Every structure is written in C-alpha cells, then in structure tokens.
C-alpha cells in the first residue's frame, strides 16, 4: 500500500503536550505527577483535544486562516464568524481549534443548528485518528442539531440528517460501520446538492475516512475506491478553485500516485492562502517533495512552524498537537534539505526536532516509542547523508532504547566502513543484527510500517557497504538490491520511514563495477520516485562522463544546476 501524511500525522494521534485543563494542573502540580499524566496521554491514540475550553478560556478570533465563508442560518454575526473559523479549521485538520470554534459559535447562538452540526462533525473520526474513541459530545451534538433544524435550509437539514447516522447512543457500536452509514448518507446529500462545493468536500472527506492512507499500491496505481474520491474532489475544485478543504484533500488524494504534479496548483495556493494555519501551510511540501521542489518544501515548513507558534501563543490547547503542527513540519523540512544537498538546513531541522521531543516520550514502549526514536535520530540520518563520519563515531550508543541503538549501530557501521575500519564495521553489523531480534521492533504502527521493516533496509545497506569497501562489488550489489526490495515494500509515507534511498547506494556501486547501463537505469528509477534530486543526478553525470555521452551529460548538468540551487556541500557522487 502506498499512502500519503505523512509519517508524522500519525504521531499527532498519540502525543499530547498540553493534555489537561488548567484546573487539573493546579491539583497535580508536581513534575512527577504531571509527567505521569502526560505519559498516560501519550499512550492514547488521538489527535483531538481532551476538552473544550469554556468561559474566559474560550478560543479567541484567530487570524491568518484565509477568507473562506459558508453562510449558515443564524442571526448572529459572531456565531457566523466562529462557524467559519471552525469549518476552515476542520478542513485544515486543526481539530483542536475547530471544536473550540464551533463551541464559541454556540456560545453566541445556542439555537444555531449548524453550529451544533459543526461541533458534531469535528468530534467525529478523521484520517489521522487511528484509535478514535467516540466522545459523548459527538452523539449529543448531532441530536441537538436535529432538534434545532426546523428553520434551516434544506441543504443544512440534509447535512444534519447525515451526521446523525455517524454516531450512536450505544457506545459499543463499531465506528467503522457508522462511517459506512455516514458515507452512504453523504452520497445522498451529494446527489441532491452536487453543485455545492462544501457538500463535495465533505463527501470526499467521508470517502477518505473509509480508506485512510490506502489509496495507491506500491506501483503508485490507484486502489478501486480511489478514482471516485479524486473525481469528487476535482468537481469541488471546478466549483471553487480556492476551496481550502478541496485543495487540502486533493493533495492527500494524489501525493502517493504516479501523478503528484496534478496537485501543484493546490500546493502553490495553500502555501499562501492560510498563512497562520500550520498544517495547511505545511501540506504543499507533500507535493513539493514528490515533484522535486525541495527548496519550496523547506520554505513552507518554516512558515508552518511560525504559524504553530502564533496559534499556540493565542490558544494554549493548540500545543496538544505539537506533533502534527511542529514536529512533522521539521521532519519534512530536514528531509527536503537532505534531498537538496543543504547540510545546514538539514542539521538545523534535525537538532530542532530532537530538541522539541520531551525526553520521556523516547521511553514509550512499542511501536509508538520506536517512531519517536526514529524522529529523534534525524541528526544521525543527516550525518550519514552528508558523510559526517567523525560526528557519528563520537556519539554515545544508547542501548536502553531499542530502535535508537539499532540506528546508531547502523550509522557507526557505515562510518567505520567508509573509514576503512572493517573489523569495527562488522562488529557494528553484528550489534545491529542482535538488536533486530527485539520483538517490539516488529510491532506495526498501523496503518504504517514497523521499525523492523526499516531495520531490514539498514542491515542490507550496511552489509552492502562493507562488501563495497572490500571491493567485492558482486556481493555489494546483491545486498543493495535486497535493500531496494525491502524499501519498495514499505507503506508509503512522507517523509519516508527510511530517509536514505537505497537505489542511490546500488547505483553508486554499479558505477564502481563499471556496470554503466544498469547504473543509469537505477538512477533514473530513483529520479522517478524522488524527482530532481541531485544525488541521483550526480550518479547519472558520472555514468555519462564515463560513457562519453556528451548530449546526455549536457542535459544532466543543466538539471543538476536546478537541483542544487541551495546546495552548501561539495557532492561528487550519489552517496557519501
């Protein structure tokens, strides 16, 4: 399966940085108790706020979320404003601010059925809430919307009827079945109101919910349910090319496809249209990284982090989603910088990401802890990417953290091998293989990959590099091909669950073996996956220099000039 998010969209489902009321903090004001509560919240699979502030803590009027408005039935201008703020935040996956905004709309007009509908909508599941547990407010808000709907427009009544089947009074009801009921009801609304852009967007939202991150296979071909989703979103965009939800959903709908460039217009629009909304401002980088605009990917993630800082200062509960609104942005930024050959930007992002991860998150057991450890080791991946062998070898091994220790042994093994200390490299390989026996690494972070899946890539790459440094290119090629095979089996994620493209290692050793035709094929394949990356273009440059293909060399040099626009490191081959 090939998917978006977006690796770190799932992190937001688990980690809360401000997961309790101020009153609760006053009652349990010791650092040990607060840490215990936060640790418990981190185990909860959710990407939504644990409460809605009331009274003086209610959400203020936020700025920088654009100007999209959906006129609803209410006599209150303030209720209309906060409904608009709420629906824009919902379309942006800023569920914390969305719920609070709909609640504020209710505060100004408690008889507004659509405000209650919005609250019910925002309390529902979404594609990032993998362990969704239905809050009591979801059903009760849907019921309240129905009770107040007599004076609503027919469109509003139809939406309210649809949201009613999304929940059940019986808390034991399977939510996945309710999601299907909701999709079916939204299909009726869509048929009756297909010229309404919000109906199109909400129907697409209901369709995506049935197959979160499961829209394409490993060959970038659509699953059988994907064409309808794409068609609905495209229709929404014909109705309103600037609709925030339709453009957001379109990026999700095509980023894992063979045609991610189809969403470049949406990416360009969202990079400017909601400048203070962190996740929306970040989203274009999912297309920029798939189309080779790595410098733009860095820029939008810098803006996204700024937006998070702005909203968290204005409304403290925003920090509950620091993982989605900040950590994910930093991870994507550093990956874009790695691909662009900019060591400083990559390392700055790596250090900032690690700095923002509370230390005790690293000790969370199982799949979630492995993911946090992977993020924390972004600096290690940056060091390997840019050949910083001495920095790697001066870093202390952390044996208490299973995935951290494994990744460190991988990096040390590569560093030793590249420094021609092969016995030490083999020792690191043995240590890595021993750590791979830890069963917790095999726990999948559903619907994504297990740490073990990436560990297999690490093992094969290290074995290949050791063989390469012994000039045993035949064995090296075998191991690198196995790494490629393992990488291709990973569920699609952005940034990837393994940040060092295996084909670049394979192509590089094929050059050493003077297998130029095979190397050319491998580098071209990598460029189809990671367009315009200078690493594989550098490999092609070596191919065409060695084969004296002047025309292809001239073309590749021209492409390299564009690929290395922000390169700050001398790079002479596909990998260090």
């Amino acid at each position: 399966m090939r998917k978006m998010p977006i690796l770190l969209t799932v992190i937001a489902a688990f980690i809360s940085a401000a997961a309790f009321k101020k009153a609760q903090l006053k009652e349990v004001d010791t650092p040990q108790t607060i840490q215990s509560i936060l640790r418990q919240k981190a185990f909860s699979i959710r990407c939504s706020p644990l409460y809605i502030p009331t009274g003086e803590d209610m959400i203020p009027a936020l700025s920088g979320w654009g100007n999209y408005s959906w006129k609803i039935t209410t006599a209150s201008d303030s209720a209309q404003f906060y409904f608009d703020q709420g629906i824009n935040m919902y379309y942006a996956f800023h569920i914390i601010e969305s719920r609070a905004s709909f609640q504020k709309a209710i505060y100004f007009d408690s008889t507004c059925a659509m405000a209650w509908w919005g609250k019910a909508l925002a309390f529902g599941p979404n594609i990032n809430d993998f362990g969704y547990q239905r809050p009591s407010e979801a059903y009760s808000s849907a019921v309240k919307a129905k009770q107040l709907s007599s004076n609503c427009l027919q469109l509003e009544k139809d939406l309210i009827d649809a949201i009613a089947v999304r929940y059940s009074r019986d808390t034991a009801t399977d939510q996945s079945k309710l999601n299907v009921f909701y999709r079916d009801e939204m299909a009726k609304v869509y048929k009756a109101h297909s010229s309404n852009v919000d109906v199109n967007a909400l129907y697409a939202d209901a369709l995506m919910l049935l197959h979160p991150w499961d829209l394409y296979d490993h060959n970038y071909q659509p699953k059988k349910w994907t064409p309808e989703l794409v068609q609905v979103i495209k229709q929404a965009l014909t109705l309103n090319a600037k609709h925030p939800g339709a453009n957001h959903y379109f990026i999700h709908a095509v980023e894992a496809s063979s045609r991610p460039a189809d969403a470049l217009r949406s990416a360009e629009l969202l990079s400017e249209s909601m400048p203070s909304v962190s996740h929306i401002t970040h989203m274009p980088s999912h297309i920029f990284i798939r189309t080779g605009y790595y410098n733009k990917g860095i820029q939008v993630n810098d803006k996204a982090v700024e937006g998070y800082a702005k909203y968290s200062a204005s409304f403290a509960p925003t920090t509950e989603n620091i993982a989605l609104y900040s950590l994910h942005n930093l991870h994507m930024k550093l990956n874009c910088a790695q691909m662009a050959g900019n060591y400083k930007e990559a390392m700055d992002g790596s250090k900032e990401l690690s700095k923002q991860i509370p230390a005790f998150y690293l000790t969370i057991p199982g799949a979630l802890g492995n993911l946090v450890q992977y993020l924390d080791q972004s600096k290690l991946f940056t060091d390997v990417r840019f050949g910083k062998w001495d920095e790697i070898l001066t870093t202390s091994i952390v044996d208490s953290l299973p995935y951290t220790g494994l990744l460190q042994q991988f990096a040390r093994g590569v560093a030793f091998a590249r420094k021609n200390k092969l016995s030490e490299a083999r020792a690191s390989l043995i240590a890595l293989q021993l750590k791979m026996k830890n069963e917790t690494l095999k726990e999948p972070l559903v619907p994504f990959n297990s740490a073990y899946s990436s560990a297999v890539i690490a093992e094969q790459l290290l074995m290949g590099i050791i063989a390469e440094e012994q000039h045993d290119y035949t064995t090296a090629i075998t191991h690198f091909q196995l790494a490629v095979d393992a990488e291709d089996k990973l569920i699609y994620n952005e940034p990837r669950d393994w940040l060092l493209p295996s084909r670049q290692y394979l192509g590089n050793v094929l050059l050493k073996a003077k297998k130029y035709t095979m190397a050319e094929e491998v580098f071209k394949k990598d460029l189809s996956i990671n367009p315009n990356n200078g690493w594989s273009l550098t490999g092609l440059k070596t191919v065409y220099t060695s084969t004296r293909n002047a025309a292809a060399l001239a073309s590749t040099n021209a492409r390299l000039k564009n690929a290395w626009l922000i390169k700050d490191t001398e790079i002479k081959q596909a990998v260090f």
Side-chain angles (χ1 to χ4, degrees), residues 153-159 161-162 183-200 203 235 239:
L153 300 173
Q154 188 59 49
L155 167 62
E156 296 172 338
K157 290 180 179 179
D158 290 347
L159 288 170
D161 287 344
R183 185 275 313 272
D184 292 344
E185 288 302 308
M186 281 304 302
K188 297 175 185 177
V189 180
Y190 172 70
K191 184 176 181 180
H193 305 280
S194 60
S195 62
N196 182 279
V197 66
D198 288 295
V199 168
N200 279 257
Y203 182 44
Q235 179 171 313
L239 295 169

Side-chain angles (χ1 to χ4, degrees), residues 292-367:
Y293 295 100
Y294 304 111
N295 55 332
K296 289 186 177 182
I298 295 169
Q299 292 165 8
V300 295
N301 280 294
D302 280 340
K303 291 179 182 178
V305 171
E306 292 174 5
Y308 164 71
K310 177 180 177 180
Y311 275 13
S312 59
S314 299
F315 187 56
T318 297
T319 57
E320 290 181 34
N321 251 358
I322 185 176
L324 183 62
Y325 303 158
S326 186
L327 302 187
H328 180 42
N329 303 337
L330 290 167
H331 198 221
M332 185 68 91
K333 170 190 172 177
L334 70 90
N335 190 205
C336 286
Q338 289 170 349
M339 297 300 284
N342 191 300
Y343 172 74
K344 182 181 185 304
E345 290 282 3
M347 185 53 68
D348 287 349
S350 300
K351 290 180 177 178
E352 183 60 27
L353 174 55
S354 182
K355 178 182 176 182
Q356 289 197 23
I357 299 173
F360 69 87
Y361 284 176
L362 295 168
T363 65
I364 296 171

Side-chain angles (χ1 to χ4, degrees), residues 14-49:
F14 298 91
I15 298 179
S16 295
F20 34 75
K21 299 179 183 179
K22 292 179 180 178
Q24 289 174 306
L25 282 174
K26 293 175 182 177
E27 295 170 3
V28 289
D29 208 16
T30 67
Q32 295 83 0
T33 308
I34 291 173
Q35 176 167 309
S36 176
I37 290 176
L38 279 174
R39 189 188 302 273
Q40 293 174 24
K41 300 304 182 185
F43 293 150
S44 175
I45 305 175
R46 60 193 306 134
C47 66
S48 307

